[in-house]
Amino acid sequence: TKPFDVQELRLRVRNALRRAGSQNNAVTGLPGKKLTNDRISLLLERDDWAVVSVNITELDIFNEIYGFVARDDVLRAVALILSSVVDELGSIDDFIGHPSEAQFLVITTPAKSDDLVQQIEARLRQAMAYFYPIHDREAGYVAWGGNQQRRTEVPFMQVITTVAFGSDGPFEDVDSLHRVLAEKQ
């Protein structure tokens, strides 16, 4: 009921949306590093959780060869597959984050973690090859580099999953959990 300036309101709403959106990954729309780490830090004092780390190897080389558009397609597909698996097998409180370009994290319960990992690995293993042209799939690798004599055989992207449980702790902070996940790779 107060008088207000419509242009100022529009500007304030747009800026608020931009700030809120900046905490999500621009490509996948999933919560980014800050939101993911905030969610993990809430869990650290309990032990009834599991964090599934999904890492995509060779993504940087795939990006160099095929470009950022193809890389973004891979990231969006991985996000969709993870969301689908969590919707089917997870619980309502499960969380999917995208804290870094080649890493996704799924926060779930220990009881759900094995089934989630099995389905994630199976679906992503099947999907990864389809991001490559047919001639590369038939060869089983990507020939990359300058002329014919200097070409290097580059392996396809692969998915590595690791799981850390709250009972593996105590964890001092979020970084200590990330170190445990990295050591398990």
Side-chain angles (χ1 to χ4, degrees), residues 14-184:
R14 186 179 66 210
N15 288 341
L17 290 172
R18 186 178 299 133
R19 280 191 305 273
S22 68
Q23 293 189 19
N24 286 349
N25 182 283
V27 175
T28 62
L30 293 173
K33 183 176 184 173
K34 181 181 179 340
L35 292 176
T36 303
N37 286 345
D38 288 349
R39 185 70 175 254
I40 291 170
S41 66
L42 294 174
L43 300 173
L44 293 180
E45 294 180 17
R46 303 183 350 230
D47 63 356
D48 60 338
W49 52 266
V51 174
V52 178
S53 176
V54 178
N55 293 289
I56 306 167
T57 66
E58 313 301 337
L59 183 65
D60 53 342
I61 294 174
F62 181 88
N63 182 43
E64 286 185 46
I65 296 170
Y66 299 105
F68 72 92
V69 172
R71 181 212 56 215
D72 289 355
D73 288 343
V74 170
L75 295 174
R76 279 189 288 275
V78 170
L80 285 171
I81 289 169
L82 292 176
S83 296
S84 175
V85 170
V86 169
D87 285 348
E88 291 172 23
L89 302 174
S91 66
I92 191 123
D93 294 326
D94 287 356
F95 174 89
I96 305 169
H98 189 181
S100 65
E101 183 171 85
Q103 183 187 40
F104 294 82
L105 294 177
V106 178
I107 300 172
T108 188
T109 62
K112 302 269 185 186
S113 64
D114 285 343
D115 291 340
L116 286 172
V117 167
Q118 288 176 357
Q119 278 301 307
I120 288 168
E121 287 177 346
R123 292 184 193 184
L124 290 177
R125 193 177 319 111
Q126 183 179 16
M128 284 295 127
Y130 289 101
F131 292 107
Y132 294 90
I134 189 76
H135 64 276
D136 289 340
R137 281 188 300 211
E138 289 173 350
Y141 61 89
V142 178
W144 182 51
N147 59 32
Q148 235 11 0
Q149 292 83 14
R150 294 180 152 190
R151 289 193 177 236
T152 304
E153 292 181 7
V154 177
F156 288 163
M157 293 178 290
Q158 293 183 6
V159 175
I160 298 173
T161 57
T162 54
V163 182
F165 298 94
S167 58
D168 293 341
F171 296 98
E172 297 170 18
D173 54 19
V174 174
D175 290 335
S176 63
L177 173 63
H178 286 294
R179 281 192 297 276
V180 167
L181 287 167
E183 290 169 4
K184 289 185 173 194

